[in-house]
Amino acid sequence: VEELALRLQAYRTSAVLRNRMLLLLVLALSVFTGWMLIANWRHLRRRQRAQQVLQAETNFRRAMENSLLTGMRARDLNGCVIYVNPAFCKMTGFSPEELVGATPPMPYWAPEALDRTYEVHSMILGGNAPTQGVEIRLMRRDGERFDALLIEAPLIDANGRQIGWMGSMVDVSEQK
């Protein structure tokens, strides 16, 4: 068996060399810190620009949605209302707080047309909504009746899964 020996020998360095190495180390860390600050500042600027673009897009979509005369309503797969636009609220006379979370019978369903409305509701939830829409009798908050054309389509999320139903509603009383 051969023997292995390790021998360490320390050399003295001059104070000047030590100070230069320390200075180089401090300079290198300063340059690195400066570079990191600039990189973080650039990242923050890009993020702020992206956030401004997103905010502008959101505001534009909200303006479009609020300008619609067509009532829009989204329901989950069980038929619970998860969204209504201002036109839907104006048409029915109910506030979003009164409608979101509502389950059948909905507050805007006319009592005399309850059987027909349940039939349409079941047809839609069963995936058999007619593409041309269906006419239905509804009721405003003040009790006034109106006829509406209801068109429903599957509500699809970003992953391509159906998460509910999106409906558009138009008051057709005047046309009749």
Side-chain angles (χ1 to χ4, degrees), residues 5-156:
L6 178 63
R7 193 173 78 174
L8 297 174
Q9 183 173 355
Y11 292 98
R12 285 191 176 264
T13 59
S14 69
V16 174
L17 182 61
R18 229 184 350 232
N19 287 344
R20 282 185 184 159
M21 288 178 56
L22 188 59
L23 180 63
L24 282 174
L25 180 62
V26 168
L27 284 175
L29 287 174
S30 296
V31 167
F32 180 71
T33 301
W35 177 76
M36 288 299 293
L37 285 172
I38 291 170
N40 279 335
W41 178 76
R42 284 181 174 171
H43 175 72
L44 181 61
R45 297 277 300 164
R46 279 193 308 269
R47 188 170 174 179
Q48 285 174 336
R49 279 194 300 270
Q51 192 169 3
Q52 287 170 347
V53 168
L54 181 61
Q55 185 67 43
E57 178 71 20
T58 301
N59 290 340
F60 177 68
R61 288 176 185 265
R62 186 171 292 122
M64 284 190 331
E65 173 187 325
N66 292 340
S67 298
L68 282 175
L69 299 177
T70 302
M72 302 296 286
R73 170 195 66 189
R75 296 184 296 165
D76 65 16
L77 291 171
N78 298 318
C80 178
V81 176
I82 55 176
Y83 167 81
V84 289
N85 75 342
F88 191 92
C89 294
K90 185 177 178 185
M91 202 176 300
T92 62
F94 292 94
S95 70
E97 294 78 23
E98 293 172 296
L99 295 174
V100 173
T103 57
M106 302 298 179
Y108 49 86
W109 287 7
E112 68 276 8
L114 210 53
D115 291 339
R116 168 83 173 123
T117 309
Y118 264 116
E119 179 185 311
V120 169
H121 174 76
S122 298
M123 181 175 57
I124 291 167
L125 291 185
N128 300 316
T131 55
Q132 72 277 12
V134 62
E135 198 172 297
I136 193 168
R137 185 106 170 129
L138 298 174
M139 176 178 69
R140 299 186 209 289
R141 181 180 194 46
D142 64 6
E144 178 188 354
R145 301 324 196 244
F146 68 101
D147 294 313
L149 177 64
L150 181 63
I151 300 172
E152 295 273 347
L155 180 60
I156 308 297

Side-chain angles (χ1 to χ4, degrees), residues 162-176:
Q162 182 178 354
I163 57 170
W165 296 95
M166 189 70 208
S168 64
M169 186 169 75
V170 179
D171 185 343
V172 293
S173 300
E174 297 232 355
Q175 288 86 337
K176 292 184 86 174

